[in-house]
Amino acid sequence: MCDQFSNDRLVEDAFALEITFPTMTEPSPETHASAREMRAKLDSGETTAREIALAHLQRIQKVENQTNAFLTVLGEEDVVTQADAADALIQSGNASALTGIPFLIKDNISTNGIRTTAASKILDGYIPPFDATVVDRLKDDGAIILGKGNLDEFAMGSSNENSAFGAVVNPWGKNRVPGGSSGGAAAAVAAGEAVIALGSDTGGSIRQPASLCGVVGFKPTYGTVSRYGLIAFGSSLDQIGPIARTVADCADTANTISGRDPLDSTSLDLEIDFTKFIDRDISDMRIGVPREYLVEGIEPGVRSAFEASLAVLEGLGAVIEETSLPLTDHALAVYYIIAPSEASANLSRFDGVKYGMSIEGEPNARESIEATRGSGFGPEVKRRILIGTYALSAGYYDAYYKKAQQVRTLIRREFQDAFQNFDALVTPTSPTVAFELGEKTQDPFQMYLSDVCTIPVNIAGLPGISVPCGLSDGLPVGLQIIAPQLGDQVAIQIAHAYEQSANWKLTPPEL
Amino acid sequence: MTSTEFEAVIGLETHVQLNTKSKMFSWSGAEYQQASPNMLVDPVSMALPGTLPVVNKRAVESAIAIGLALNCEIAEITKFDRKQYTYPDLMKGYQISQYDEPICTDGWLDLPTDEPRRVGINRVHMEEDVARLIHVDSPTGGVMHSLLDINRSGVPLMEIVTEPDMRTSKQVEAYITALQAIIRYLGVGTANMEEGSFRCDANISVRPIGSREFGEKVEVKNMNRVRAVCEAVEYEIKRQVAAIKRGERIEQETRGWMDGEKVTVTQRSKEDAHDYRYFPEPDIPPIHIGRDWVTKIKSGMPELPLAKKHRFMTDWGLSDYDASLLVDQRSSAEYFEKVMLSVADQSRNDQADFAKETANWLNGEMARMMHEADVRAMGETLVDPASLAVLVRKFQQREINNNSAKRVFAEMFENGADPEEVIQRMGLAAVGDVDELTPIIQEVLANNEAAVADYLSGKTTAIRFLMGQVMKATRGRADAQAVMGLLEHAMSDR
């Protein structure tokens, strides 16, 4: 990609497109294969990075007005330049796993010279002069960046309806949400607009949309992937990870983007091979099912798909046992104090003074800042800034933030104790399948419950992966596998074994 | 009642800029004093979205060194916190600071005042500076717009907080001077109030003498010279005492010093105090400070000014005054030590005399010429310490008189000349030999009968004129003491 940026390389904001609804084209091998399948064809010379990239641009052109998954699509010239560089790498025998594989980058991850909005009006016109570390590493490997993915504003949401640039539509159903906040990422991978996407996960924002769109989403252990360049939401919870069609593609991507980054003090000084155990069988592995994840609010179809997946794991020789994590009930409350508290500080920098949107003509700086923030942030973002500001205020800090941190420590310990007995835990990723657009927008608490199964994993900083485990009423259900801290390889191993055995290969129907 | 029935209770909060190469949490240069606006900017110090702080190790080491110099306990684990407030010069909308686990706590600093006083150090913590706002006035009055210079954003700051242990502006001045000297000795900052690398806020309250309770304290800000701090403290004490005498209550508030008017004015009342909503900085894991690290820093620290002064006084018999002048700057103190080292073979008594004479030269002629030439550090002059020792000794042993010695020193200062070579070349060796001087004196006496007569008739001051004539005849080289004796002797024979 060019360091120089010009606006004419970009398509207009997705929400400004004239929306027409042509029929989605038949899934094609160029756009619906896994990265590993493409890798084989690229290395054998059966296809080229340029062909794959162009097929994706065509696919985007065809279906984007139905999905609204992208906020920015790079121009053909830019994409071809990247693809040709990838082809040169392949021809010289220097290809690695992701060389020539088309990516979508969630639009809260900074890209040098490409506008990065976090789906917020307040970042209108902001073009980062640097790449996030993960983007830098993808580029080093010769991956192709197609564009930037839609999301809930500042990653705050579970349905992608909080985007300032319009909701994303789930390819599995026109009136269904894709989940969130990485809704554009999950929808694009499901709809064949990108092979892999980088998302971010603060309370389930990779796993829940992956589940709702029938793809694989992996949130690695906190600290294994650099956050430098990720627009911060809840700094102690945020983690970048991949959304892809297969577990192996997720593991390959994690290998590329992980590792110590001197620009992120919280990044761990570890080299992890996420694919290390991928082909090992899981016989005699002990897998726990925490009963607290299967209580009220879980849809019958989700429950039966989940129970069927337990049978598959047992069939692979794993020992499945029910267990209890009583503190699970408190995780949501802890999350909705810690994440907004951190967010309230993280979002203070958006004041219109340095970059992005700025309301001018106010009599002084304070009023200009207030006006900019008042009109730049959407309602959910404002709600969370208010919650966080309140929780950190003098006189409330001990009752809210401090108490939440104490409970967080207890939740972490409860997981540690559980992992004394189990190699991994499994739960449904989301209590429901994709819900209808508008169904929960009037009730924030119902919306928050959508992440009830994924949030504890972030609270404890653990690795979690969601793999498709069937359909309920024609909509995908996801199985979440949770491993101990730095047990990412085990989560990948179990997810891969399940994926290979269940062999769902879910593809969205024609719209 | 008189004002002597009250005493002031004063504590200081000092912000010290560190002179690290890069900023506290990012890689752009920290030497903003010399840079053009917005040339020391990186994504982190500009708070671009997605950027993260990485702690400057050198800044932590500087903080530990300051803590050790102030006899503090160095934390084994220290963490950073976010201090939140909104202002256009604060890039992130929060300042990364330290709240409840500062790097250094519980220290003290002894003031070199006539009456010894120990000032407790409550804490030393690390934080970052903010950007600079430059307000452009409108021709029609008011501010037209404001410009932002981000260079200073993220420059490392140490905040040093004392206990309320000072009672007078004199102690405040002594504390500031002593702290500045420590910062400069450690080489961690320039500690210059005028250029803003050393800033002082004072917390002041008054109470009846004998009372153990504190009065309501007032924080005074906006002083940018040491003198201003003292003036503000004095003003504020008088104001509070006068108010109490009028039966008023002192309100807890923040006041600003108006340097032109020499008064303090209300800036912010207690009700308007900020709620900074501190919470632990999630982007920086707590820092573990191993004791071996502390030991290593300690072993690399120079001797500090107070210790040096005492050593100069006990080892070399310098007066408190001479020693204080010398240790004021590390470079001067070290220069003095080099001069003394080059004559280490002297006896103890000789050394004391020599030290006293050397101190006179350094605090006198050297200081004067450095000031004229605008040389800041004695170590940067061309005068070689061993050469200076040679000159001082020649002067002491009257091999060269005062005027000649000054001429030689001037040559040494200007071009680093060797004193013996200068004396030789300019023929400045003192003429003190009786055989050489006697004929000259006889001739002067013969040519100045009137003056001789004056002297003999009791006008003893006439001898000075005769001395001048001898000096003229010897082109200033004559040893004044020898000439005086010979003149007196010759005239007493008449």
Side-chain angles (χ1 to χ4, degrees):
Chain A
M1 196 164 317
C2 259
D3 283 342
Q4 290 301 309
F5 172 82
S6 75
N7 265 315
D8 56 18
R9 300 230 195 113
L10 306 175
V11 295
E12 283 302 305
D13 286 344
F15 74 96
L17 285 176
E18 285 203 23
I19 303 216
T20 54
F21 284 86
T23 311
M24 248 186 195
T25 48
E26 197 64 41
S28 77
E30 279 96 3
T31 53
H32 284 76
S34 73
R36 284 201 171 180
E37 285 164 344
M38 287 180 190
R39 168 92 277 119
K41 288 184 179 172
L42 283 164
D43 290 345
S44 69
E46 198 176 320
T47 186
T48 62
R50 183 195 271 243
E51 276 172 18
I52 291 175
L54 288 174
H56 277 85
L57 284 181
Q58 277 166 19
R59 177 76 184 165
I60 290 166
Q61 220 162 22
K62 285 203 174 97
V63 305
E64 183 55 27
N65 51 12
Q66 295 168 76
T67 61
N68 198 23
F70 280 77
L71 292 179
T72 298
V73 180
L74 295 196
E76 185 175 321
E77 191 192 329
D78 212 343
V79 171
V80 166
T81 305
Q82 297 179 65
D84 288 351
D87 281 326
L89 267 179
I90 294 164
Q91 271 160 23
S92 65
N94 292 313
S96 40
L98 305 178
T99 311
I101 304 299
F103 271 77
L104 167 147
I105 310 294
K106 188 180 182 181
D107 207 26
N108 60 349
I109 298 173
S110 304
T111 40
N112 190 1
I114 304 168
R115 77 175 157 198
T116 299
T117 67
S120 181
K121 277 195 292 182
I122 210 160
L123 273 173
D124 190 31
Y126 170 65
I127 297 165
F130 67 98
D131 275 324
T133 299
V134 289
V135 172
D136 200 36
R137 290 182 178 175
L138 284 185
K139 284 181 174 179
D140 277 353
D141 255 19
I144 313 296
I145 289 159
L146 297 172
K148 306 298 295 287
N150 204 346
L151 66 150
D152 286 296
E153 184 176 2
F154 288 107
M156 296 176 183
S158 310
S159 68
N160 220 303
E161 290 164 294
N162 295 333
S163 169
F165 305 121
V168 174
V169 179
N170 191 324
W172 287 85
K174 250 193 240 179
N175 57 346
R176 297 282 166 166
V177 302
S181 66
S182 310
V189 173
E193 295 178 85
V195 181
I196 305 175
L198 288 190
S200 67
D201 191 319
T202 307
S205 281
I206 286 174
R207 290 158 290 154
Q208 185 258 18
S211 169
L212 269 48
C213 290
V215 291
V216 184
F218 174 43
K219 182 204 98 70
T221 295
Y222 183 83
T224 53
V225 178
S226 166
R227 293 183 293 118
Y228 189 79
L230 170 66
I231 299 178
F233 161 17
S235 309
S236 71
L237 303 156
D238 294 344
Q239 183 64 76
I240 293 174
I243 291 176
R245 297 195 181 105
T246 67
V247 174
D249 287 358
C250 281
D252 288 340
T253 307
N255 273 351
T256 296
I257 63 176
S258 64
R260 167 85 183 135
D261 178 10
L263 298 180
D264 177 0
S265 313
T266 62
S267 84
L268 301 171
D269 196 3
L270 292 170
E271 285 297 325
I272 298 168
D273 178 4
F274 289 84
T275 62
K276 193 169 178 187
F277 301 155
I278 197 165
D279 289 322
R280 291 195 196 168
D281 71 51
I282 60 165
S283 57
D284 299 329
M285 268 200 165
R286 293 175 60 81
I287 297 174
V289 182
R291 67 174 75 95
E292 289 78 7
Y293 287 74
L294 294 167
V295 285
E296 52 175 326
I298 187 162
E299 289 177 349
V302 171
R303 179 187 281 270
S304 53
F306 173 69
E307 280 165 359
S309 72
L310 296 181
V312 172
L313 291 171
E314 266 182 330
L316 290 166
V319 181
I320 307 288
E321 209 174 290
E322 193 182 273
T323 184
S324 174
L325 298 171
L327 290 172
T328 303
D329 287 351
H330 300 297
L332 198 66
V334 166
Y335 178 82
Y336 275 101
I337 291 168
I338 291 175
S341 293
E342 293 178 357
S344 70
N346 285 332
L347 269 54
S348 293
R349 67 187 60 197
F350 303 107
D351 57 7
V353 173
K354 307 166 289 274
Y355 42 76
M357 194 188 97
S358 185
I359 301 287
E360 290 176 18
E362 298 295 325
N364 58 48
R366 177 162 288 275
E367 285 176 50
S368 166
I369 291 170
E370 281 173 10
T372 298
R373 290 169 67 81
S375 63
F377 289 135
E380 181 61 27
V381 173
K382 284 180 188 166
R383 180 179 295 124
R384 297 200 194 189
I385 291 174
L386 282 171
I387 293 171
T389 304
Y390 182 84
L392 291 174
S393 295
Y396 298 98
Y397 181 89
D398 286 352
Y400 293 102
Y401 186 80
K402 196 174 169 191
K403 181 73 77 183
Q405 287 292 10
Q406 288 164 344
V407 178
R408 183 179 193 174
T409 304
L410 296 178
I411 291 173
R412 206 178 271 145
R413 275 196 212 136
E414 188 173 86
F415 271 113
Q416 282 167 3
D417 291 345
F419 288 121
Q420 299 291 312
N421 298 319
F422 298 105
D423 296 298
L425 301 169
V426 292
T427 75
T429 309
S430 163
T432 70
V433 293
F435 41 92
E436 288 190 6
L437 286 157
E439 188 181 327
K440 298 184 179 177
T441 45
Q442 295 312 307
D443 188 348
F445 187 67
Q446 280 307 309
M447 190 71 91
Y448 294 172
L449 281 175
S450 191
D451 291 323
V452 71
C453 300
T454 46
I455 276 174
V457 177
N458 299 76
I459 297 288
L462 306 175
I465 186 165
S466 177
V467 281
C469 68
L471 297 173
S472 165
D473 292 334
L475 293 167
V477 179
L479 167 69
Q480 175 175 237
I481 298 147
I482 306 167
Q485 192 181 27
L486 295 172
D488 302 60
Q489 294 152 325
V490 173
I492 299 267
Q493 178 187 359
I494 297 170
H496 182 75
Y498 172 79
E499 175 192 61
Q500 298 302 305
S501 175
N503 198 23
W504 287 103
K505 292 213 175 1
L506 299 178
T507 308
E510 290 310 296
L511 293 178
Chain B
M1 272 204 281
T2 63
S3 65
T4 52
E5 290 167 23
F6 286 88
E7 70 171 357
V9 175
I10 308 160
L12 292 183
E13 289 175 20
T14 308
H15 283 90
V16 177
Q17 255 174 12
L18 299 183
N19 58 356
T20 50
K21 286 198 187 74
S22 57
K23 291 186 178 179
M24 185 72 213
F25 300 113
S26 64
W27 57 87
S28 60
E31 289 170 15
Y32 75 97
Q33 304 275 9
Q34 282 82 39
S36 311
N38 293 317
M39 293 308 287
L40 303 176
V41 184
D42 56 62
V44 181
S45 55
M46 203 176 157
L48 292 188
T51 55
L52 298 169
V54 175
V55 178
N56 183 330
K57 189 178 173 192
R58 182 69 199 274
V60 177
E61 289 173 341
S62 297
I64 293 171
I66 291 171
L68 290 171
L70 295 175
N71 310 291
C72 289
E73 283 170 30
I74 311 300
E76 303 218 7
I77 294 176
T78 189
K79 71 173 173 70
F80 286 94
D81 299 274
R82 292 185 180 178
K83 177 182 180 179
Q84 305 188 64
Y85 63 94
T86 301
Y87 206 69
D89 64 6
L90 184 62
M91 297 294 99
K92 296 187 293 298
Y94 57 86
Q95 179 190 35
I96 304 179
S97 181
Q98 296 197 285
Y99 182 53
D100 54 355
E101 292 180 37
I103 186 161
C104 314
T105 52
D106 294 328
W108 43 265
L109 177 61
D110 282 333
L111 302 185
T113 37
D114 296 339
E115 206 176 309
R117 185 154 197 106
R118 175 164 288 190
V119 176
I121 303 295
N122 176 283
R123 60 189 279 157
V124 178
H125 75 245
M126 302 179 278
E127 57 187 35
E128 54 177 339
D129 214 338
V130 296
R132 231 156 48 89
L133 278 172
I134 298 142
H135 301 293
V136 181
D137 288 336
S138 159
T140 56
V143 174
M144 184 166 62
H145 59 259
S146 300
L147 300 169
L148 199 51
D149 177 6
I150 293 168
N151 287 351
R152 198 177 64 185
S153 170
V155 168
L157 282 183
M158 297 296 113
E159 183 171 335
I160 301 164
V161 182
T162 72
E163 298 293 350
D165 286 348
M166 285 164 275
R167 298 289 174 267
T168 65
S169 67
K170 210 178 171 95
Q171 289 168 2
V172 168
E173 184 176 8
Y175 170 80
I176 293 175
T177 313
L179 184 58
Q180 284 177 319
I182 286 173
I183 302 298
R184 291 172 189 152
Y185 262 65
L186 294 174
V188 297
T190 53
N192 184 324
M193 282 196 85
E194 282 82 355
E195 68 183 28
S197 62
F198 189 99
R199 298 166 224 160
C200 246
D201 301 335
N203 285 304
I204 304 162
S205 63
V206 298
R207 65 181 175 191
I209 285 179
S211 167
R212 310 205 65 163
E213 278 164 33
F214 293 128
E216 284 293 335
K217 73 173 179 189
V218 170
E219 184 175 14
V220 184
K221 293 172 174 285
N222 290 353
M223 295 83 80
N224 46 22
R225 293 173 297 123
V226 182
R227 190 68 234 134
V229 181
C230 296
E231 286 169 350
V233 165
E234 281 161 20
Y235 174 87
E236 189 56 25
I237 295 170
K238 278 189 198 135
R239 186 189 71 82
Q240 290 185 20
V241 170
I244 290 170
K245 283 184 177 174
R246 285 195 303 270
E248 294 168 18
R249 280 190 47 177
I250 301 297
E251 299 290 334
Q252 190 178 327
E253 62 176 341
T254 301
R255 297 177 71 89
W257 172 245
M258 312 292 282
D259 208 25
E261 294 84 345
K262 307 285 181 206
V263 294
T264 62
V265 295
T266 298
Q267 279 188 336
R268 201 165 62 211
S269 73
K270 189 186 176 184
E271 286 70 38
D272 301 331
H274 277 128
D275 176 2
Y276 289 117
R277 303 194 308 280
Y278 280 100
F279 74 102
E281 168 57 272
D283 289 330
I284 305 173
I287 299 169
H288 296 252
I289 302 172
R291 297 302 96 176
D292 47 344
W293 193 21
V294 176
T295 309
K296 199 177 156 202
I297 292 166
K298 192 168 197 167
S299 68
M301 277 167 58
E303 187 181 28
L304 292 169
L306 203 60
K308 239 186 207 336
K309 187 179 104 175
H310 286 145
R311 192 164 53 80
F312 285 4
M313 289 165 69
T314 47
D315 284 11
W316 291 321
L318 282 189
S319 68
D320 189 310
Y321 177 79
D322 281 338
S324 296
L325 280 178
L326 283 174
V327 301
D328 188 43
Q329 278 195 49
R330 182 177 168 184
S331 178
S332 311
E334 287 177 354
Y335 190 96
F336 173 75
E337 286 174 290
K338 279 185 192 152
V339 176
M340 294 306 295
L341 212 66
S342 73
V343 294
D345 54 338
Q346 285 181 335
S347 77
R348 208 175 154 78
N349 276 344
D350 286 351
Q351 256 190 5
D353 290 343
F354 181 80
K356 166 80 188 147
E357 197 57 57
T358 303
N360 285 347
W361 275 90
L362 296 182
N363 292 331
E365 202 61 8
M366 177 71 108
R368 188 182 66 76
M369 294 201 70
M370 279 172 64
H371 178 72
E372 273 176 16
D374 197 26
V375 180
R376 295 280 170 90
M378 212 170 273
E380 285 168 20
T381 65
L382 297 175
V383 184
D384 173 56
S387 301
L388 185 80
V390 170
L391 179 68
V392 171
R393 195 183 301 203
K394 281 193 182 296
F395 175 69
Q396 261 189 317
Q397 295 173 352
R398 290 165 52 196
E399 288 172 35
I400 180 168
N401 70 20
N402 191 36
N403 278 331
S404 301
K406 283 182 180 170
R407 286 173 68 187
V408 175
F409 182 80
E411 287 258 330
M412 292 163 71
F413 189 89
E414 257 136 47
N415 49 36
D418 168 39
E420 300 203 299
E421 186 272 325
V422 179
I423 291 166
Q424 186 83 42
R425 171 159 52 80
M426 297 174 74
L428 293 175
V431 182
D433 186 62
V434 180
D435 294 342
E436 201 176 334
L437 283 174
T438 303
I440 297 168
I441 283 169
Q442 292 305 333
E443 197 185 332
V444 166
L445 292 179
N447 293 341
N448 295 282
E449 290 291 352
V452 175
D454 282 350
Y455 177 83
L456 292 174
S457 69
K459 280 179 78 178
T460 48
T461 50
I463 200 165
R464 279 202 224 135
F465 171 77
L466 295 168
M467 165 85 92
Q469 296 302 307
V470 178
M471 281 296 175
K472 199 172 166 188
T474 59
R475 287 177 294 120
R477 296 176 303 144
D479 176 31
Q481 232 173 307
V483 172
M484 185 68 83
L486 287 169
L487 275 173
E488 279 170 355
H489 182 75
M491 287 191 287
S492 68
D493 287 350
R494 296 202 166 201

